[in-house]
Amino acid sequence: MSTFLAGLRSRRWLNVGVFLLGVLAMVVAVATPLYARSSAEHLLDQRTEQRPVTETGLSVETAPQSPPRLEVDPAQDGEGNPEKQMVPLTQEERDQMLSQATDLVTTDAANTYWLPPTTYLLGSGEYRTGANSYQINTYWRDGMCGQADVEGTCPSAPGEALIDPTMLETIGGQVGDEITVVHTGSGGNNNPVVDYPQTYTIVGTYTIDDNASPYWFNPGHTGGDGSLRPPSLGSSTPTQAPALLVDQSSVTFNAATIAGADRPVDLDALDIDTMDDAEVQLATWQTSISDQGPPIIQPDDVTTFETLFEEVRAEQDLLSRVTLAAVVPLIVLALLLLYVLVASASEVRRQEVALAKLRGFSAGKVVRFAVAEPAAVLLLTVPVGIALAVVGERVLTGVWLGPTPFVVTTQAVVSAAVVTATALVAAFVAVLGVVREPLAASLSAATRRRGTSTWSLLAQGALVMLSVAAVVQILTSDATQSSSFVELLAPLFVAIGASVVALLLIGMLARVWMRRTADRGGLSPFLASRRLVRRQDLMQLVLPLLLATAMAAFAASAWKVADDWRVSKAAATIGASTVYYTDTAPARLQWVTQQVDPEGRYLAAAVPPAPRTVDGGRVALVDASRFARVAAWDSQWGSSGSEVQGWLTPPGELDPIRFSGSHVRVELHDIGLHGELNLPLELWMRYVPDSNGDERLATLGSLPEKGSVTLDGFVSECDDGCSVQQLYLSGSSSSVSDASGRVTIASIAADGDEPGDWRLDDPDAWRPALPFGDSGVPPVSIDAGPGGLALQISGEPVVVRLTTADVPVAPPIVATETTVLDLVPGYTADTVAGASVNGVRTPMELAGRAEALPMVGNNGGLSDLTAALREYGDQATNIPITHLMVAAGTPPSVLDQVRKQGVSLTVSRSEAEELEELRSDAFSLGWRVFLLVGVLTLVLAFLGVLALAVVQLRWRSYEVAALRVVGVRRRDLRRAIITEYVALLGMAVVGGALAAVASLLLVLPSLDIGAIGEFDPAVDFSLRWAVVAGVVAVVMVVVLGIALWISRRTVKQGTPATLRQADAR
Amino acid sequence: MTTSAVAPGWTGEASAHAGISVRCQNVVHIYTTVAGHDVVALRGVNLDIAPGEQVALLGPSGSGKSTLLGLFGGLQRASAGQVIVDGVDVSRIPEAELTRLRAGKVASLLQGARRNLLTYATAAGNVSFARRAMPAAEVRRLPSPRQLLEMLGLGELTDTPVNAMSGGEQQRVALAVTVSSGAGLLLADEPTSQLGHTDRDTMVDLIQRVNAELGTTVVIVTHDPDIAARIPRRVTIRNGRIGSEGVHGRDYAVIDQDGAVHLPEDWIQDYPPGSLVEFEETEDGFFVRRVDHAPGNPR
């Protein structure tokens, strides 16, 4: 044993090299499946968290068990027809309701995977102020004051309440004031519906960071708009005000109070291994409550984990494949280097093995003697590698993914076993060459170059064929993108194929080089080329270094491509640094942005494309005047934000007619109208007050069939000024009319300080506004002159719209390259069928194209919101969601001002959040592993080059000494070594870069780099030259560094004394 | 170090195999060079070495003496002819049998001490290593490494790593390690090269002591005439053939199977290749006379 240990010690650097390689291979082999598992756990947690708590948690609600109870007010008892009032819920009844709800969510099935229940009491009523009424909840939730940011005191007595601070400010109240909530309930047979007001004393305000968090569970219980904006025009749903948080004893309305209990899913208990059981437990619990009749309120939607778990399993599967494909090249490389190193070590021990044979060791004993040392070192790598893998995985997971449970997976165990066995086999094969050598050859000082065996040629041919077959299979595959294991391994195949070809090429080139340098050229190149031809020791590094360079360049480029795409997707999906989703009308929102941010640096209003539209129908509307500064723009989309802003901006300045006052007076002459439906015509005006930006519609009056008339219509909120959007001529109640004939608008004037320049005599000032009727022909022709605006109406059933001509009839559209746009006949050659608000199709002038655009991704277009609202503003009342785009670096005060204008800014999404989520998907995590493995591959290759250089130092210094004896200068020798290294390894690096480029061009486009949605920007697969060049530069610098160091060391050691020592040996 | 380095107590018990005989019959050996050319190293060698005999193989470089030693040790196999060691033709036996032969009966001391040793191990470690191929029972009959080294006067080097020894010490330890298996035939290739006079003499003394004490047959390849002079039998090989033998101070030419006779070394320059001689038989043998030119030959 002491002799064995002495041997280990004497070759410590070599053994350290083998040990490090073995450890690295083991770390990667074990850590990767562990990381894949942790990533899957992380994905499970993340995907679960991304679902609303209500979809993954358990909740039941129950109503009072007895019907609403009324009693006569004792004060009115006996006075004719006394009013009845609701009998308040007793504490006992409340406790009974809460207890029942709690019992239903605390069954055995529910206790495993869900957090302890939280109970609540919820009442619903109305808060009335002025003419407006708002829905409001009175809410008690167990422990609520500890979970909310409370200013004031927590309600602890009947009639005490906490209020949302914005609402308190809106209603102009303060702590100590009273607020009344009106409950509505049965009033008996004669009075079916009666109000039951209940007054609360405000004892403080509360703010909830996230009312969709696991504690608050159901955001609908607390959420509401504290600014109490009136409901939108045409909306039948009353606005929801934020809930009042009250003491349990205050929830007394027995007709509609609900008691509930909910349990968010317990992410600590739920993991990949327990998903199936959780699904079973969920079904069991649902079955247990399904037969519960009234007063249990059965949930409308059945909670299910099915789609969630399916998604997670799919991602887990993908992650496993990607990480495995990423790690295989590294393990292959580690084993290759291990083989090279052990083979070198065997060469060093050649004399010892010969000695063993000389001393009569049997064949088995010789093999055991030769293998014992590398095997011992490799076996030592197993515990160390596994320990480091676990630590590394925990650290990496902690940094990248956060806390995840540690699970020893079967894959990790199998992987460790496979790597251990393969490493031992590699070591065995490596020493076999020396062991099988005849004794006489082993004892000779010279090493004979072994010829290429048939098996080696066959193996090389098979590798090349395998590489070609894999690439051809990918190229001829019908699938556009895939993540099959073979395809993920294709870069490795390409690199191996390139390595074999490179080895053949290098051999040929070296011989040509030697012939050339023998005839002419310096001594150093000759020595370098001669050594390349005669000694093949460095050749062993070509394959690992080429492989490492190829894999690292491929991994880095692929990761960059994938990440660039994610950045692009995040920018396209969100559209700006941050976007708030609000129900504020587009015109109003745009007005708010212009008021709060007049310079257009921070805010812009936008309307997303209408749902279920594609191509020309899929157009997002943005405030073009501030697009470049506020909207997101990715350089991969081509052009630039400023250029697109230029394209989007309508030609000429939009110059609406402005006026002020409370009445608008219109003189109509030369009326000659006839029709069968909806006569008389009415004249309407759509306008926007300067004071609030809300679109208004005013009826100016009805037109007679003949003659003249002066109409006088009331306009609201125009004392400080209004701007005109459109004039309509319609049937009654703004319906279509088939009236035909003529009418002249002789004059229009408002009664305020600014009567308005209505441009009735300007032939270019007015035009028919879209949409036209079925014929597509304008239903009115306009002839302006000194007598006014003479209109000739065609009689097609339509609302006749007039707008000022500063709004182009075909506003500019910027579309993506892949958007299919239909030409619109009758317009210019660039006029295409686009879409305005709510997806209404309208002619647009194609101003430019880009690869992708914010809000629409790779399909659809952008157009100007202002022009769209002027043309189709009346359609905008149906838009459910409007976007407030917020630029990066917007001060919070700007957003505060927006809130003060009544815009609800509660739901938002930032580009960074989107990107973070995209970067945490299975694809991204997998490609991140690819990148990490690429870096490790390089490190491994550097270690291999360095280790082999150290191993070769001994006999290289002998060669150098021999050359120095015959008079070769040290400088020439150093140059020769550097030239040899740089020439050979440089070719390997270049070969690796070429293999990477081939993989990037041929293979990468067929690999999945992410979950690409229908409208996501296309992936830019163009070569990232900077990345490839960076990898090549790093490798070359390191190789050069090693070459410089080894040349100095070799020449320093290669003295004539070295020859004497060698002779002595 | 002097001859007294051999401990007086060292007896034949340390040898598992008494002296072994060697016999060569028409041994031919051909090498194939890297370039693929055949080079004849031995051209029909006939040689008998008796058990316990000491033989020095001499000859110029490339004459084939080391090749012959290699054939004795089973390091190579003869291309033709027989190499019979202890009654066994080592050119024909299976590799396993040859391995067993090397493990016990035949010990080879290679040129260069370090080539015979694990340089990182101690002297005792090397002895143990050399015995590892032997059956345990045989090893038990041998003196322990420490005893062996002490017997050879190398006791103070027992626990010294080879790397820390001088050249002479390494060579003596190498010899000790080589004979540690108790072999009956010691084949030593240039055992005194690179040694100073004192170490050289000590080494030869040691070899002769091994021969004398254990009856081990010793075959030494050497260039050194002083060493050769101390070996009772000297066999000179020239151009792959046994040229002459010197026994107890007298040199004899050897007639090979073709009837060829090598001239003594000193005469060769007077008889360049192509010289004509004629033999005349006398009462004591042959008389060789140089002829300037044959009758009828114009030279």
Side-chain angles (χ1 to χ4, degrees):
Chain A
M1 178 53 84
S2 60
T3 305
F4 178 73
L5 292 176
L8 276 175
R9 202 165 45 243
S10 75
R11 289 176 287 274
R12 54 188 169 279
W13 292 115
L14 204 55
N15 287 321
V16 165
V18 171
F19 178 77
L20 287 178
L21 282 172
V23 165
L24 194 56
M26 185 58 70
V27 166
V28 173
V30 175
T32 305
L34 292 180
Y35 175 76
R37 173 56 184 251
S38 296
S39 298
E41 296 285 359
H42 169 70
L43 282 170
L44 174 62
D45 285 358
Q46 199 185 41
R47 297 292 176 259
T48 309
E49 281 177 322
Q50 282 167 358
R51 295 284 170 106
V53 188
T54 48
E55 288 184 14
T56 54
L58 310 179
S59 70
V60 290
E61 292 183 332
T62 180
Q65 291 187 1
S66 56
R69 303 188 305 277
L70 304 174
E71 66 178 14
V72 175
D73 184 348
Q76 297 180 353
D77 195 12
E79 295 180 10
N81 189 20
E83 276 191 27
K84 292 180 179 175
Q85 65 177 22
M86 195 66 65
V87 177
L89 283 172
T90 64
Q91 186 63 42
E92 188 183 355
E93 287 174 309
R94 284 192 294 267
D95 288 344
Q96 190 182 14
M97 290 164 69
L98 289 171
S99 169
Q100 188 175 23
T102 305
D103 288 346
L104 286 170
V105 292
T106 47
T107 63
D108 288 342
N111 288 339
T112 317
Y113 298 107
W114 287 269
L115 293 169
T118 304
T119 51
Y120 60 86
L121 290 168
L122 180 72
S124 181
E126 283 180 27
Y127 170 67
R128 295 169 183 169
T129 173
N132 294 321
S133 171
Y134 304 90
Q135 283 189 347
I136 191 165
N137 290 334
T138 50
Y139 193 44
W140 169 84
R141 189 170 176 83
D142 195 11
M144 62 188 181
C145 289
Q147 296 290 331
D149 184 10
V150 175
E151 286 193 16
T153 57
C154 188
S156 57
E160 291 184 350
L162 291 173
I163 190 170
D164 174 74
T166 307
M167 182 173 169
L168 184 62
E169 188 181 343
T170 305
I171 64 177
Q174 58 186 353
V175 174
D177 288 355
E178 291 187 336
I179 184 169
T180 300
V181 175
V182 179
H183 299 287
T184 306
S186 169
N189 292 336
N190 296 329
N191 296 302
V193 176
V194 176
D195 288 347
Y196 298 97
Q198 186 158 8
T199 301
Y200 296 92
T201 303
I202 298 171
V203 293
T205 62
Y206 74 93
T207 310
I208 297 172
D209 284 339
D210 178 11
N211 63 5
S213 66
Y215 170 77
W216 293 102
F217 201 84
N218 189 340
H221 290 169
T222 52
D225 181 3
S227 65
L228 301 183
R229 287 200 63 241
S232 302
L233 275 177
S235 171
S236 58
T237 311
T239 304
Q240 179 83 32
L244 296 179
L245 299 189
V246 300
D247 181 60
Q248 192 187 137
S249 59
S250 298
V251 186
T252 56
F253 184 63
N254 77 35
T257 290
I258 290 169
D262 46 46
R263 304 183 72 166
V265 69
D266 183 0
L267 293 178
D268 290 337
L270 183 66
D271 56 40
I272 297 289
D273 286 336
T274 57
M275 284 195 301
D276 289 335
D277 187 50
E279 228 169 330
V280 171
Q281 298 297 340
L282 179 63
T284 306
W285 177 77
Q286 283 168 339
T287 305
S288 72
I289 64 160
S290 62
D291 57 352
Q292 299 286 330
I296 301 305
I297 303 166
Q298 290 291 340
D300 294 336
D301 299 316
V302 177
T303 306
T304 174
F305 282 143
E306 195 178 341
T307 55
L308 172 70
F309 290 169
E310 270 178 12
E311 186 185 341
V312 170
R313 284 193 184 96
E315 290 197 278
Q316 184 192 11
D317 179 52
L318 176 75
L319 201 57
S320 296
R321 266 183 287 138
V322 173
T323 49
L324 191 58
V327 88
V328 164
L330 192 128
I331 292 175
V332 167
L333 180 69
L335 294 176
L336 265 177
L337 285 171
L338 205 63
Y339 173 81
V340 169
L341 214 54
V342 174
S344 296
S346 302
E347 284 294 328
V348 170
R349 299 183 65 210
R350 190 163 160 251
Q351 203 76 47
E352 284 182 20
V353 173
L355 195 59
K357 292 180 191 171
L358 186 70
R359 298 293 178 231
F361 280 37
S362 63
K365 274 189 176 172
V366 172
V367 170
R368 282 201 294 279
F369 171 66
V371 170
E373 187 169 300
V377 174
L378 287 173
L379 288 175
L380 193 62
T381 65
V382 175
V384 176
I386 289 174
L388 284 176
V390 171
V391 171
E393 190 273 340
R394 288 289 83 195
V395 170
L396 207 64
T397 302
V399 172
W400 278 355
L401 309 176
T404 51
F406 176 71
V407 182
V408 178
T409 62
T410 312
Q411 292 96 321
V413 175
V414 170
S415 189
V418 166
V419 166
T420 306
T422 318
L424 289 174
V425 168
F428 178 76
V429 172
V431 300
L432 215 54
V434 171
V435 170
R436 290 177 58 195
E437 201 173 33
L439 177 56
S442 304
L443 290 172
S444 68
T447 310
R448 276 197 184 188
R449 195 177 134 194
R450 296 182 199 105
T452 310
S453 71
T454 311
W455 287 112
S456 171
L457 283 173
L458 278 174
Q460 289 179 12
L463 280 176
V464 173
M465 293 300 289
L466 185 68
S467 310
V468 172
V471 174
V472 168
Q473 194 258 331
I474 291 165
L475 293 179
T476 55
S477 168
D478 289 337
T480 51
Q481 293 204 313
S482 161
S483 299
S484 77
F485 189 58
V486 172
E487 283 166 321
L488 288 166
L489 278 182
L492 176 67
F493 293 139
V494 171
I496 290 176
S499 301
V500 174
V501 174
L503 280 173
L504 296 173
L505 270 179
I506 287 171
M508 285 164 52
L509 289 175
R511 279 189 287 279
V512 172
W513 189 29
M514 190 179 78
R515 278 200 292 275
R516 289 174 64 90
T517 51
D519 297 338
R520 55 187 183 278
L523 179 60
S524 300
F526 171 69
L527 291 174
S529 60
R530 194 184 67 140
R531 200 176 185 287
L532 276 182
V533 172
R534 295 193 171 177
R535 289 239 178 213
Q536 303 261 311
D537 45 10
L538 266 192
M539 286 279 197
Q540 297 176 98
L541 284 178
V542 169
L543 181 63
L545 195 65
L546 191 149
L547 203 66
T549 308
M551 292 312 298
F554 177 81
S557 299
W559 179 83
K560 185 80 172 78
V561 165
D563 198 61
D564 283 350
W565 175 76
R566 282 177 170 77
V567 170
S568 167
K569 179 176 174 175
T573 305
I574 305 302
S577 177
T578 304
V579 168
Y580 288 89
Y581 305 97
T582 172
D583 57 357
T584 305
R588 161 88 183 160
L589 187 66
Q590 188 177 29
W591 178 86
V592 170
T593 61
Q594 289 166 350
Q595 293 296 309
V596 173
D597 175 29
E599 294 178 12
R601 291 169 58 190
Y602 305 120
L603 307 173
V607 173
R612 294 177 293 282
T613 52
V614 292
D615 292 320
R618 190 165 188 273
V619 176
L621 303 169
V622 293
D623 188 344
S625 64
R626 40 189 72 199
F627 176 83
R629 281 185 166 182
V630 180
W633 189 262
D634 191 277
S635 57
Q636 292 184 79
W637 300 343
S639 307
S640 68
S642 302
E643 195 174 4
V644 171
Q645 176 165 326
W647 291 341
L648 283 175
T649 306
E653 193 175 341
L654 296 182
D655 184 21
I657 295 165
R658 296 182 43 74
F659 67 92
S660 65
S662 59
H663 284 81
V664 172
R665 181 186 169 92
V666 185
E667 284 186 27
L668 299 164
H669 293 170
D670 193 21
I671 303 171
L673 298 167
H674 53 86
E676 295 178 2
L677 302 167
N678 268 338
L679 276 178
L681 289 181
E682 291 177 351
L683 182 62
W684 295 68
M685 182 173 70
R686 186 155 57 83
Y687 62 97
V688 177
D690 290 352
S691 58
N692 58 25
D694 275 332
E695 276 196 341
R696 296 277 189 266
L697 201 56
T699 312
L700 299 179
S702 299
L703 278 65
E705 291 185 34
K706 290 183 180 175
S708 301
V709 67
T710 299
L711 305 177
D712 191 340
F714 172 75
V715 286
S716 65
E717 300 177 275
C718 289
D719 294 336
D720 297 328
C722 278
S723 55
V724 176
Q725 301 281 74
Q726 281 185 357
L727 293 174
Y728 301 160
L729 280 166
S730 70
S732 60
S733 304
S734 194
S735 58
V736 296
S737 163
D738 66 341
S740 63
R742 64 183 188 281
V743 59
T744 299
I745 304 174
S747 70
I748 309 177
D751 61 351
D753 296 337
E754 193 178 4
D757 175 13
W758 295 84
R759 310 168 204 169
L760 299 177
D761 55 350
D762 182 354
D764 298 324
W766 292 85
R767 66 167 176 83
L770 292 161
F772 301 151
D774 293 339
S775 67
V777 177
V780 59
S781 63
I782 302 170
D783 185 13
L789 211 57
L791 310 177
Q792 189 67 43
I793 300 169
S794 69
E796 183 178 6
V798 73
V799 173
V800 176
R801 301 160 189 268
L802 306 177
T803 186
T804 46
D806 54 326
V807 178
V809 66
I813 180 174
V814 178
T816 66
E817 297 288 356
T818 54
T819 301
V820 178
L821 295 169
D822 299 326
L823 291 175
V824 180
Y827 290 85
T828 68
D830 288 332
T831 305
V832 296
S836 192
V837 287
N838 272 332
V840 58
R841 304 307 298 264
T842 189
M844 287 182 164
E845 194 83 3
L846 181 62
R849 285 198 187 253
E851 290 294 334
L853 291 166
M855 302 177 75
V856 296
N858 77 333
N859 185 265
L862 295 181
S863 191
D864 179 38
L865 176 64
T866 310
L869 290 177
R870 289 276 294 279
E871 196 81 36
Y872 294 100
D874 55 328
Q875 310 265 345
T877 52
N878 295 328
I879 294 173
I881 300 290
T882 315
H883 291 191
L884 174 66
M885 301 169 110
V886 181
T890 300
S893 59
V894 172
L895 295 178
D896 287 342
Q897 290 180 56
V898 174
R899 286 191 187 91
K900 284 180 181 170
Q901 293 290 342
V903 179
S904 172
L905 300 183
T906 53
V907 184
S908 70
R909 183 77 168 162
S910 74
E911 207 178 329
E913 288 168 351
E914 180 75 11
L915 188 57
E916 188 185 344
E917 190 177 317
L918 289 172
R919 280 177 174 161
S920 68
D921 68 9
F923 291 100
S924 189
L925 294 174
W927 283 107
R928 199 185 291 180
V929 172
F930 233 105
L931 177 66
L932 183 69
V933 167
V935 174
L936 283 175
T937 307
L938 267 190
V939 173
L940 199 61
F942 294 153
L943 268 176
V945 172
L946 192 63
L948 202 69
V950 172
V951 169
Q952 291 173 350
L953 194 60
R954 197 171 175 189
W955 57 79
R956 266 184 178 273
S957 59
Y958 183 84
E959 292 169 19
V960 162
L963 289 166
R964 283 187 67 185
V965 166
V966 297
V968 181
R969 292 178 302 175
R970 294 163 65 105
R971 194 177 57 189
D972 287 332
L973 288 168
R974 272 205 299 271
R975 279 185 187 164
I977 295 171
I978 294 170
T979 307
E980 183 194 351
Y981 263 88
V982 171
L984 185 72
L985 301 186
M987 284 179 74
V989 174
V990 171
L994 291 175
V997 168
S999 295
L1000 289 167
L1001 291 176
L1002 299 176
V1003 180
L1004 185 62
S1006 66
L1007 295 182
D1008 274 331
I1009 60 122
I1012 303 175
E1014 187 184 2
F1015 301 123
D1016 288 340
V1019 183
D1020 177 9
F1021 284 109
S1022 62
L1023 278 176
R1024 299 324 196 248
W1025 286 110
V1027 175
V1028 176
V1031 172
V1032 169
V1034 167
V1035 180
M1036 284 306 286
V1037 165
V1038 175
V1039 165
L1040 193 62
I1042 292 173
L1044 280 170
W1045 177 76
I1046 207 71
S1047 69
R1048 290 177 68 86
R1049 293 277 303 171
T1050 308
V1051 174
K1052 194 175 172 185
Q1053 286 188 16
T1055 61
T1058 312
L1059 285 180
R1060 286 198 296 277
Q1061 288 164 9
D1063 287 341
R1065 286 173 200 139
Chain B
M1 203 59 72
T2 66
T3 51
S4 64
V6 180
W10 190 32
T11 70
E13 289 172 6
S15 175
H17 309 277
I20 285 174
S21 65
V22 179
R23 188 176 185 203
C24 294
Q25 289 184 328
N26 299 323
V27 173
V28 175
H29 191 72
I30 301 171
Y31 287 112
T32 302
T33 64
V34 177
H37 305 299
D38 287 344
V39 174
V40 182
L42 297 174
R43 305 162 183 267
V45 172
N46 291 288
L47 181 66
D48 283 317
I49 300 172
E53 196 175 9
Q54 288 183 60
V55 178
L57 294 179
L58 295 101
S61 294
S63 59
K65 54 188 185 301
S66 291
T67 302
L68 190 58
L69 201 70
L71 295 180
F72 293 168
L75 309 186
Q76 302 163 77
R77 290 173 187 267
S79 306
Q82 289 184 315
V83 179
I84 298 167
V85 176
D86 197 23
V88 176
D89 185 356
V90 294
S91 297
R92 302 288 176 265
I93 58 173
E95 188 63 36
E97 204 172 322
L98 201 56
T99 299
R100 277 197 294 278
L101 199 70
R102 285 200 295 266
K105 293 181 178 175
V106 181
S108 296
L109 180 65
L110 303 173
Q111 187 177 2
R114 296 168 70 90
R115 290 176 66 200
N116 296 279
L117 300 168
L118 301 174
T119 53
Y120 48 80
T122 61
N126 271 283
V127 171
S128 299
F129 176 74
R131 289 173 171 178
R132 212 188 282 179
M134 299 175 68
E138 269 189 48
V139 173
R140 276 195 295 276
R141 285 207 299 274
L142 295 170
S144 71
R146 184 172 294 279
Q147 286 171 327
L148 176 68
L149 290 164
E150 280 173 357
M151 286 173 188
L152 290 170
L154 299 169
E156 73 275 20
L157 297 174
T158 304
D159 297 321
T160 308
V162 171
N163 275 327
M165 296 176 189
S166 71
E169 288 170 339
Q170 287 180 355
Q171 190 66 290
R172 287 199 302 282
V173 170
L175 178 64
V177 168
T178 305
V179 301
S180 65
S181 60
L185 173 63
L186 170 64
L187 304 168
D189 192 359
E190 302 276 8
T192 58
S193 65
Q194 300 165 0
L195 294 183
H197 285 287
T198 313
D199 287 333
R200 185 190 65 182
D201 292 342
T202 309
M203 188 68 192
V204 175
D205 290 345
L206 196 58
I207 291 172
Q208 291 191 324
R209 197 62 184 270
V210 166
N211 172 256
E213 299 284 340
L214 305 178
T216 306
T217 307
V218 174
V219 182
I220 297 174
V221 167
T222 181
H223 280 102
D224 189 337
D226 292 343
I227 299 296
R230 295 185 59 185
I231 304 297
R233 184 181 174 195
R234 299 178 300 282
V235 176
T236 304
I237 299 177
R238 286 214 298 266
N239 200 23
R241 289 192 174 96
I242 304 288
S244 62
E245 279 199 32
V247 182
H248 299 301
R250 287 186 63 86
D251 288 336
Y252 304 93
V254 178
I255 301 171
D256 71 12
Q257 61 179 4
D258 301 328
V261 179
H262 284 269
L263 291 179
E265 187 96 28
D266 302 343
W267 293 10
I268 288 177
Q269 55 187 346
D270 296 331
Y271 294 83
S275 298
L276 297 179
V277 294
E278 63 180 0
F279 293 86
E280 187 179 313
E281 191 170 5
T282 66
E283 288 180 358
D284 297 330
F286 290 103
F287 178 77
V288 182
R289 178 189 299 120
R290 180 172 178 173
V291 181
D292 288 339
H293 55 84
N297 188 337
R299 277 196 314 174

